Amino acid sequence: MRRLTVCWFPFSHSFLYRLLHTGVMSDVHVTEHPARIGILLDYTGGRLLFFNAERGLVLFTIRHKFTGAAHPAFALEKAGALTLHMGMDLPEFVKHS
């Protein structure tokens, strides 16, 4: 089983998202904190996309050949709120990529 870990670290002038996948750490810097982050799994295309849900900007893409079931799991490191919206329409930018 492979795991993907996403962590968010705020800095004074930017925001850092740190993604860990198959032992490789990748840093993604953004200049504004997205209020909502979308996650899209393109199972047959072998892509997992993280995007700014308001602006439709891709933050990070992971390419992976999926061969078994994909099981999402979400957790918060500190007390807070996490809201999941399932089955939303595909964003326009994804339909054309």
Side-chain angles (χ1 to χ4, degrees):
M1 172 173 52
R2 299 196 184 237
R3 292 186 180 162
L4 169 71
T5 303
V6 180
C7 301
W8 171 61
F9 300 94
F11 289 96
S12 60
H13 299 296
S14 67
F15 296 91
L16 171 66
Y17 290 85
R18 182 160 281 163
L19 295 101
L20 177 63
H21 180 250
T22 61
V24 177
M25 186 74 70
S26 300
D27 290 347
V28 178
H29 295 272
V30 296
T31 56
E32 69 178 58
H33 173 62
R36 295 183 337 170
I37 295 177
I39 303 170
L40 176 69
L41 172 62
D42 177 1
Y43 189 92
T44 56
R47 297 183 305 166
L48 181 63
L49 293 95
F50 295 84
F51 60 94
N52 180 324
E54 282 84 26
R55 296 192 179 265
L57 301 173
V58 175
L59 301 172
F60 193 77
T61 301
I62 292 174
R63 299 217 176 262
H64 181 78
K65 182 179 180 183
F66 297 97
T67 57
H71 303 281
F74 302 93
L76 296 175
E77 186 174 295
K78 297 180 181 177
L82 175 68
T83 304
L84 299 178
H85 298 276
M86 307 293 289
M88 298 175 73
D89 291 335
L90 285 177
E92 285 301 315
F93 77 93
V94 174
K95 293 177 185 177
H96 307 292
S97 65

